């Protein structure tokens, strides 16, 4: 189950019929320019519901300049509901994500890898905490602007994925949600440990997680 924050610039509020945005909250965001807005559903909503809300949002939102809706300041944050998970399952989700962080970044625009509001864990001191099983310590020492953000466990009960750029592409959004859903479930079925990190397991898990993702369609490869 997901909550989503869509950051969009060049929003023409006067031309947009906000009565069509059922289930979506519209917020001002001072970090966005050019009449920027943050459109949010914390829900939490199921996969199909989130897909429909995203499609409805972009079908009805009016922009002053469509080509300026998604600057480097915009992003699409997805919150994955973890309220029903055990501490061990959340810790395992952290490790599952860490194992494939570079592949996760390959699913989004390459500019996100160097964005100061979407910092890879591998570029922080948080890698030293991967062996911890104390979730309260992890949350207290985490950073808000990491790409994989544990801070929202303390108020929303979610893990936040900040990777995805601002976009109105429903196929990209759907594939991104599916990736996160797969990671959520895989982290509950499989345990990341020294014994489990065999070459076969790592490859099989990668196939399970990323097999559906058409990397070349979304990534500007060098």
């Amino acid at each position: 189950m997901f909550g989503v924050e869509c950051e969009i610039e060049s929003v023409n509020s006067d031309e947009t019929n906000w009565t069509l945005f059922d289930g979506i909250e519209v917020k001002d965001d001072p970090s966005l320019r050019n009449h920027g807005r943050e459109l949010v559903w914390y829900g939490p909503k199921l996969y199909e519901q989130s897909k429909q809300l995203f499609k409805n949002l972009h079908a009805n939102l009016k922009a002053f300049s469509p080509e300026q809706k998604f600057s480097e300041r915009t992003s699409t944050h997805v919150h994955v509901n973890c309220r029903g998970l055990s501490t061990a399952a959340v810790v395992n989700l952290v490790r599952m994500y860490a194992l494939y962080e570079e592949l996760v970044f390959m699913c989004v625009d390459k500019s996100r890898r160097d964005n100061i509001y979407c910092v890879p864990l591998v570029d922080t001191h948080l890698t030293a905490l991967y062996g911890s099983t104390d979730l309260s310590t992890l949350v207290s020492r985490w950073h808000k602007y990491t790409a994989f953000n544990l801070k929202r466990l303390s108020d929303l009960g979610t893990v936040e994925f900040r990777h995805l750029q601002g976009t109105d592409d429903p196929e990209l959004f759907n594939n991104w949600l599916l990736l996160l859903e797969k990671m959520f479930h895989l982290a509950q079925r499989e345990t990341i440990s020294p014994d489990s990190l065999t070459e076969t397991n790592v490859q099989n898990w990668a196939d399970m997680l990323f097999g559906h993702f058409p990397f070349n369609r979304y990534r500007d490869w060098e």
Side-chain angles (χ1 to χ4, degrees):
M1 301 181 76
F2 305 99
V4 181
E5 303 168 349
C6 299
E7 297 174 337
I8 306 171
E9 295 186 329
S10 193
V11 175
N12 188 336
S13 294
D14 293 336
E15 294 294 325
T16 298
N17 182 356
W18 296 110
T19 63
L20 300 176
F21 286 63
D22 185 39
I24 298 175
E25 181 180 356
V26 183
K27 298 182 176 181
D28 291 327
D29 188 332
S31 69
L32 302 176
R33 302 176 190 172
N34 190 24
H35 304 278
R37 295 290 187 275
E38 185 178 36
L39 295 104
V40 176
W41 61 93
Y42 287 130
K45 303 296 184 184
L46 295 171
Y47 176 63
E48 292 296 334
Q49 292 174 306
S50 289
K51 286 168 55 177
Q52 188 57 46
L53 283 168
F54 184 88
K55 182 178 179 180
N56 179 67
L57 186 164
H58 291 290
N60 293 293
L61 187 74
K62 305 300 181 182
F64 289 106
S65 178
E67 66 274 11
Q68 294 180 0
K69 289 195 297 183
F70 303 114
S71 73
E72 72 284 351
R73 292 177 295 274
T74 67
S75 54
T76 306
H77 301 162
V78 178
H79 292 255
V80 177
N81 180 20
C82 293
R83 292 183 180 183
L85 296 188
S86 66
T87 294
V90 176
V91 169
N92 203 51
L93 178 60
V94 174
R95 295 173 181 174
M96 182 69 72
Y97 167 79
L99 182 63
Y100 295 106
E101 182 171 63
E102 293 298 343
L103 273 177
V104 173
F105 269 102
M106 289 170 65
C107 296
V108 300
D109 190 88
K110 63 182 180 180
S111 65
R112 299 296 294 168
R113 184 62 176 71
D114 300 314
N115 190 291
I116 62 172
Y117 300 108
C118 181
V119 180
L121 299 186
V122 73
D123 292 345
T124 74
H125 74 272
L126 295 174
T127 55
L129 300 178
Y130 288 165
S132 175
T133 58
D134 185 344
L135 188 57
S136 61
T137 297
L138 289 174
V139 173
S140 66
R141 296 183 63 182
W142 218 258
H143 297 300
K144 174 182 178 181
Y145 292 122
T146 48
F148 177 91
N149 176 27
L150 286 182
K151 281 292 187 186
R152 303 316 299 267
L153 281 171
S154 61
D155 59 347
L156 295 177
T158 67
V159 170
E160 180 185 22
F161 291 79
R162 302 173 61 88
H163 308 67
L164 187 59
Q165 67 269 21
T167 182
D168 57 4
D169 183 339
E171 184 177 354
L172 172 57
F173 179 74
N174 297 349
N175 282 327
W176 180 248
L177 286 193
L178 186 55
L179 167 61
L180 303 189
E181 185 174 64
K182 287 181 175 183
M183 185 174 294
F184 176 84
H185 291 299
L186 186 61
Q188 295 176 68
R189 296 198 307 269
E190 305 288 348
T191 300
I192 304 296
S193 69
D195 291 337
S196 70
L197 290 176
T198 65
E199 182 177 351
T200 298
N201 280 344
V202 171
Q203 182 61 59
N204 287 342
W205 295 340
D207 291 342
M208 292 177 197
L209 292 171
F210 302 97
H212 73 286
F213 215 101
F215 291 98
N216 291 331
R217 175 174 169 81
Y218 305 121
R219 180 70 185 264
D220 181 15
W221 294 91
E222 294 178 347

